[in-house]
């Protein structure tokens, strides 16, 4: 099959995949695998090659970013269970001050959301929001929106959360996660600014009737519930140390450091090794808080959480491989002048459609990144669209992440976490969480576009 028929088949396949996930409640892993197989058959891929294509696409993802995702999630789990996440939040409140509660919630969420999933991060930090609400009488809605925004921004833009790591692996920039982290942080600044403005605005427009029993604990009582909170250094070290070692590795590479020192810095700066060092500091954190006995349980819990994400990511790799083998990329290259007009907005649009239709930001990120392919591969969509440099690959990851924000609504678990824990009804949820994520996604994409004008 060639020409426009390929594009029609591709669109139908993606629509069926979304329908299976959102309407039939088929697991994304199975939906991606079934879509890949059906697409390969209908597009006329040689039947004898299909098993190898599936195997290569599946194993390639595990080889590139599987361990990194597991280590990142394990660090987040330890921070959550030891009270280190609360310690980080407490540090933010001390720095920002209780007179700016929305800003405190925003920064708190952004920091904690780097290693911790946004859903669990909101659950962990929401009691602090409630206690601060009692302490200073601020708008509960404004604080909830700000907390949600901070968590969501780092969840989609900044590794080591699984979405951006998986996208980096699929695009081919996983060897330079530090650059992904830096650009993600830069792009998130205007996103957070817009979210803060909206949180202040909407907080004054919506009134909630809160249950007083939910506000019975003071901020200080809440902190004491965790017993001995770790020190500030140990709380941030599992996140900070991997970044430092990746930075040293990058600096050594740019500076041309050779010999034993260069090899050592390159080794320590590898994302797998750097995050392994973060895990070591997480173990030290467990020892310091007398919780080392639960390390095995935490590891098992982490594997249960990231297992589905790894398999979905690998299934996305299969879809990307099928798309390449079926001739989609070749057709797009032939019509590159038309399609490339969308430029950096192309991956954003695909990701936003997937996110809005099926609900999961991670699935939207993984699937879109798999469709785009590696920037260094001549037979990928990245190449067809002219994104053939490492910085272009990073910006495409950011565009995909921005699209995966638009929008959080009733088919998104995070929507229900935010609305239920903050006491909002569905209508209020659409005015707050849904509108917020639309604003964040659009501002994020505009930020990526501005960066692309400067860097590409």
């Amino acid at each position: 099959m060639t020409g426009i028929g390929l594009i029609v088949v591709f669109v139908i396949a993606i629509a069926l995949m979304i329908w299976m996930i959102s309407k039939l409640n088929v697991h994304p892993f199975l939906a991606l695998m079934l879509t890949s197989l059906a697409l390969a058959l209908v597009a006329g891929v040689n039947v004898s090659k299909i098993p190898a294509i599936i195997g290569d696409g599946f194993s390639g993802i595990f080889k590139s970013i599987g361990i990194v995702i597991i280590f990142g999630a394990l660090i987040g789990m330890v921070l959550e269970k030891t009270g280190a996440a609360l310690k980080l939040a407490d540090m933010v409140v001390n720095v920002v001050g209780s007179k700016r509660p929305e800003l405190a919630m925003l920064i708190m969420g952004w920091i904690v959301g780097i290693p911790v999933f946004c859903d669990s991060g909101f659950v962990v930090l929401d009691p602090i929001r409630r206690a601060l609400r009692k302490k200073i009488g601020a708008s509960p809605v404004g604080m909830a929106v700000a907390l949600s925004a901070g968590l969501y921004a780092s969840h989609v833009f900044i590794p080591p959360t699984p979405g951006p790591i998986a996208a980096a692996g699929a695009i081919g920039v996983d060897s330079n996660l530090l650059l992904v982290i830096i650009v993600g942080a830069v792009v998130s600044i205007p996103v957070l600014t817009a979210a803060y403005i909206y949180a202040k605005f909407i907080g004054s427009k919506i009134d909630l009737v809160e249950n007083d029993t939910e506000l019975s604990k003071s901020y200080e009582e809440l902190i004491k519930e965790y017993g001995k909170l770790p020190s500030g250094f140990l709380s941030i070290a599992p996140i900070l140390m991997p970044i430092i070692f990746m930075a040293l590795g990058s600096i050594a590479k740019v500076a041309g450091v050779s010999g034993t020192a260069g090899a050592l810095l390159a080794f320590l700066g590898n994302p797998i090794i750097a995050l392994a060092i973060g895990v070591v500091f997480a173990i030290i954190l467990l020892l310091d808080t007398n919780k080392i006995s639960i390390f095995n349980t935490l590891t098992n819990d982490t594997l249960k959480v990231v297992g589905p994400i790894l398999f979905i990511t690998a299934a996305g790799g299969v879809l990307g491989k099928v798309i390449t083998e079926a001739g989609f990329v070749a057709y797009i290259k032939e019509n590159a002048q038309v399609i490339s007009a969308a430029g950096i907005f192309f991956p954003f649009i695909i990701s936003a459609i997937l996110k809005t239709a099926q609900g999961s930001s991670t699935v939207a990120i993984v699937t879109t990144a798999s469709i785009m392919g590696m920037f260094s591969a001549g037979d990928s969509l990245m190449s067809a669209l002219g994104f053939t440099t490492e910085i272009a690959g990073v910006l495409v990851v950011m565009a995909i992440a921005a699209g995966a924000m638009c929008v959080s609504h009733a088919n998104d678990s995070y929507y229900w976490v935010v609305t239920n824990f903050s006491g909002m009804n569905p209508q209020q949820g659409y005015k707050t969480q849904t509108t917020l994520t639309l604003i964040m996604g659009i501002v994020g994409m505009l930020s990526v576009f501005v960066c692309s004008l400067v860097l590409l």
Side-chain angles (χ1 to χ4, degrees):
M1 184 179 293
T2 58
I4 195 67
L6 270 175
I7 303 300
V8 172
V9 167
F10 172 70
V11 172
I12 293 174
I14 297 300
L16 286 174
M17 181 191 71
I18 293 171
W19 178 68
M20 283 191 286
I21 295 173
S22 60
K23 297 298 182 183
L24 300 184
N25 203 28
V26 176
H27 193 279
F29 169 74
L30 291 177
L32 279 162
M33 292 298 289
L34 289 171
T35 300
S36 301
L37 180 59
L39 190 58
L41 292 171
V42 174
V45 176
N46 191 318
V47 176
S48 63
K49 293 183 178 180
I50 292 178
I53 291 171
I54 292 174
D56 290 345
F58 196 86
S59 62
I61 293 296
F62 271 99
K63 181 174 68 176
S64 61
I65 46 86
I67 296 174
V68 173
I69 288 178
I70 293 172
F71 282 169
L74 181 57
I75 290 170
M77 185 71 75
V78 171
L79 293 182
E80 179 182 337
K81 299 302 181 182
T82 57
L86 286 180
K87 179 63 178 180
L88 292 174
D90 194 33
M91 291 164 63
V92 170
V93 171
N94 289 335
V95 172
V96 177
S98 58
K99 293 183 179 180
R100 294 181 289 274
E102 291 89 357
L103 183 59
M105 290 291 113
L106 188 78
I107 298 175
M108 183 189 304
W110 186 77
I111 293 174
V112 172
I114 292 174
V116 178
F117 284 83
C118 59
D119 302 65
S120 58
F122 196 93
V123 174
V124 170
L125 297 179
D126 189 61
I128 294 182
R129 178 189 70 86
R130 293 179 179 275
L132 276 178
R133 154 71 172 151
K134 177 184 178 182
K135 184 176 182 179
I136 63 177
S139 165
V141 173
M143 293 173 69
V145 169
L147 176 59
S148 168
L151 287 161
Y152 204 32
S154 51
H155 178 77
V156 301
F157 283 122
I158 305 175
T161 44
I165 288 183
I171 298 296
V173 293
D174 51 303
S175 61
N176 197 349
L177 277 183
L178 178 66
L179 182 61
V180 181
I181 292 170
I182 292 172
V183 176
V186 170
V187 169
S188 67
I189 291 173
V191 174
L192 294 173
T193 302
Y196 177 67
I197 293 171
Y198 186 70
K200 294 283 288 184
F201 167 77
I202 198 66
S204 63
K205 301 295 181 181
I206 296 179
D207 294 322
L208 292 182
V209 179
E210 292 189 300
N211 187 341
D212 289 339
T213 60
E214 293 178 333
L215 299 173
S216 58
K217 296 175 183 176
S218 70
Y219 183 82
E220 291 74 17
E221 289 170 338
L222 178 65
I223 296 297
K224 288 180 181 178
E225 273 192 359
Y226 274 76
K228 178 191 174 186
L229 286 183
S231 68
F233 172 75
L234 284 180
S235 296
I236 200 170
I239 307 171
L240 185 61
M241 289 303 168
I243 295 175
I244 289 175
F245 282 106
M246 284 189 283
L248 290 174
S250 297
I251 292 170
K253 182 179 178 181
V254 172
V257 179
S258 58
T260 303
L264 179 61
L265 289 173
F267 171 74
L268 294 175
N270 181 281
I272 292 177
I273 304 303
L275 280 165
I277 294 171
V279 172
V280 171
F281 275 92
I283 293 172
I284 295 173
L285 181 58
L286 286 168
L287 288 168
D288 181 71
T289 54
N290 298 319
K291 291 185 171 68
I292 192 63
S293 60
I294 66 171
F295 184 48
N296 184 56
T297 302
L298 290 182
T299 304
N300 283 329
D301 290 343
T302 299
L303 293 175
K304 290 176 184 177
V305 170
V306 302
I309 294 170
L310 286 172
F311 286 115
I312 292 169
T313 304
V318 174
L319 179 60
K321 195 74 172 177
V322 168
I323 287 170
T324 298
E325 294 292 333
F328 293 97
V329 176
Y331 175 75
I332 287 174
K333 282 185 176 180
E334 294 171 3
N335 299 272
Q337 287 186 339
V338 176
I339 297 174
S340 63
I344 198 71
F345 287 91
F346 181 81
F348 168 81
I349 293 169
I350 300 298
S351 182
I353 291 172
L354 289 170
K355 162 63 181 178
T356 304
Q358 54 78 41
S360 169
S361 294
T362 301
V363 170
I365 290 173
V366 168
T367 305
T368 307
S370 300
I371 290 171
M372 296 300 296
M374 291 198 174
F375 78 89
S376 57
D379 58 354
S380 68
L381 269 179
M382 291 288 288
S383 175
L385 293 170
F387 301 129
T388 56
T389 63
E390 188 172 58
I391 188 62
V394 173
L395 290 177
V396 168
V397 171
M398 295 299 112
I400 293 170
M405 285 182 153
C406 306
V407 290
S408 175
H409 62 99
N411 63 0
D412 179 11
S413 62
Y414 191 46
Y415 169 86
W416 295 110
V417 168
V418 173
T419 54
N420 287 340
F421 275 82
S422 57
M424 291 186 280
N425 59 40
Q427 290 80 7
Q428 292 170 329
Y430 279 108
K431 291 179 181 179
T432 54
Q433 180 68 4
T434 303
T435 305
L436 168 74
T437 53
L438 176 62
I439 293 170
M440 293 177 72
I442 292 174
V443 172
M445 187 57 235
L446 291 176
S447 300
V448 173
F449 176 65
V450 171
C451 289
S452 72
L453 295 178
V454 176
L455 300 174
L456 297 184

